[in-house]
Amino acid sequence: MQSDASATPAIVASPATWNSAETKNEIPSPPQSRCEPFSHISPGLVIAFGKSIDAKPHRHTLWQLCLPTLSAELNGQPFDKAKVIPPDQSHQLQMEQGWIILAEPESRVGAAISQLPTEFAGQPNRTLGGLYHALAAQPELVNALKQQGYTISDSRIRKLQAQLDSCLSGHCLKPDKWRAKEIADWLALSESRFLHLAREQLGIAWRPYLLWRRLLCAVRAIKNGANTTQAAHLAGFSDAAHLSRTLKRTFGMTSSELLASFTLNKNK
C-alpha cells in the first residue's frame, strides 16, 4: 500500500483483532468436536461447516458447493451428494449439518467449482481432512482450496484486489471511498473502461462485487468479536438491521441466523 493516502482509495482501520492463520489464507483445522460449527474467510473464498442451516430463497454472484453430512434439501428436494449451485441461480437450502463453500467466479476455487458436475458423490465428515477426502476425485478443487488466490490476469485489477484484500488483515471497506470514478482515476482508466475491465476480470459487475466484499468485512468483524451494530458501521451499512436485510437477500439468512448456524463469533 502506498504511503500517500490520497493516491489510493481510502480504507478505514478496524479495531478487530484478526486471526493470523487466516490472514495468511491458510485454512485452519476445525475444532475437534464434530458438532461445533466452523468458518474460514480468505480472499475470494468462504468455507464453513454449519448446523441447522435454513436459507430462504436467495441468489448471489458466487459459485457455491454444498456437501451435507446429514439430511439436506435444495429447493425442496432431498439430496445426499455434493451439489454445485452456479452464480445468479435462485435457491433455497436446508441442511441439518454440512459444509458450504462460496467462491468468487475468478478465484482459483471458483474456477475449479465451475468445472465440476452439478452433482457428485462425496459425503465428508466434520474434519477438514474428511472434506478433502470426500473431494479426492476432484483434485483440481482440492489443490485450489490449498493454494487459493485468483486467476485474474490484468495487473491493474490485481492491484485493486490487493487493496480489497487488506480488509481481511484488519481494514474495512467504506462504499463512499470505493466509487468507480475514484478507482478508475487511481488505475489511470476511464470510468467506463474500469467498469468493463472489472466485470471481465472479476466475473461480477463492480457494484455487486463491492457489496459482496463489504458483507465479507462485516461477517469477518462479527467472527472476530464485533457485535452486529459495530460490524455494520465498519462495513458501511447504516445499521444492524440494514446489514441483516442485505445478508438475508444475499444468503437467505439474517445475521442472527448465520450466527446460530455457523457460530461466527469466536467468543460464543
Side-chain angles (χ1 to χ4, degrees):
M1 188 181 302
Q2 301 176 17
S3 58
D4 181 3
S6 64
T8 66
I11 311 173
V12 179
S14 162
T17 300
W18 308 106
N19 179 286
S20 59
E22 292 191 57
T23 301
K24 297 175 183 176
N25 301 340
E26 300 168 3
I27 302 178
S29 296
Q32 293 300 310
S33 170
R34 294 195 175 192
C35 297
E36 187 176 348
F38 159 83
S39 62
H40 167 80
I41 300 170
S42 59
L45 175 69
V46 173
I47 179 169
F49 181 90
K51 60 182 182 179
S52 302
I53 300 165
D54 185 8
K56 301 300 188 289
H58 64 286
R59 69 175 64 206
H60 48 66
T61 55
L62 311 166
W63 282 97
Q64 180 168 336
L65 179 60
C66 306
L67 299 102
T69 58
L70 295 174
S71 62
E73 290 187 2
L74 180 63
N75 299 326
Q77 299 298 314
F79 72 102
D80 58 5
K81 297 181 179 180
K83 284 273 193 181
V84 172
I85 303 173
D88 297 312
Q89 184 176 100
S90 180
H91 58 282
Q92 181 174 355
L93 176 68
Q94 288 80 40
M95 283 204 303
E96 186 178 347
Q97 187 173 278
W99 290 90
I100 291 177
I101 299 173
L102 296 171
E104 294 176 17
E106 297 306 317
S107 67
R108 286 196 179 99
V109 175
I113 294 176
S114 73
Q115 300 302 309
L116 297 175
T118 56
E119 180 180 275
F120 59 91
Q123 193 171 35
N125 60 29
R126 170 64 184 80
T127 67
L128 193 59
L131 175 63
Y132 288 152
H133 179 74
L135 296 173
Q138 317 298 335
E140 294 85 359
L141 176 56
V142 173
N143 288 336
L145 285 168
K146 292 178 178 179
Q147 296 175 8
Q148 300 181 46
Y150 300 98
T151 61
I152 293 168
S153 60
D154 190 277
S155 60
R156 293 160 295 188
I157 300 301
R158 289 201 304 268
K159 180 181 177 181
L160 174 60
Q161 286 291 84
Q163 287 289 308
L164 290 165
D165 290 346
S166 68
C167 174
L168 300 182
S169 58
H171 300 82
C172 224
L173 307 178
K174 294 291 187 181
D176 60 338
K177 300 300 183 183
W178 289 85
R179 294 189 179 97
K181 179 65 169 64
E182 288 186 3
I183 298 169
D185 289 345
W186 175 53
L187 297 176
L189 295 168
S190 68
E191 183 175 353
S192 61
R193 176 56 182 154
F194 163 67
L195 291 173
H196 174 81
L197 188 62
R199 187 181 189 101
E200 176 185 82
Q201 292 284 308
L202 299 172
I204 306 172
W206 174 244
R207 287 187 67 182
Y209 184 76
L210 182 59
L211 178 61
W212 147 249
R213 283 304 198 112
R214 289 168 55 211
L215 287 173
L216 272 189
C217 282
V219 170
R220 184 68 184 265
I222 292 170
K223 187 177 187 297
N224 286 278
N227 61 40
T228 52
T229 298
Q230 292 169 329
H233 289 306
L234 282 170
F237 296 93
S238 57
D239 53 30
H242 182 201
L243 170 61
S244 190
R245 288 194 304 272
T246 307
L247 284 167
K248 187 165 187 177
R249 185 173 68 249
T250 307
F251 300 119
M253 302 174 75
T254 64
S255 52
S256 60
E257 289 168 340
L258 285 168
L259 280 168
S261 290
F262 297 101
T263 317
L264 294 175
N265 193 323
K266 69 179 183 180
N267 296 322
K268 287 185 177 292

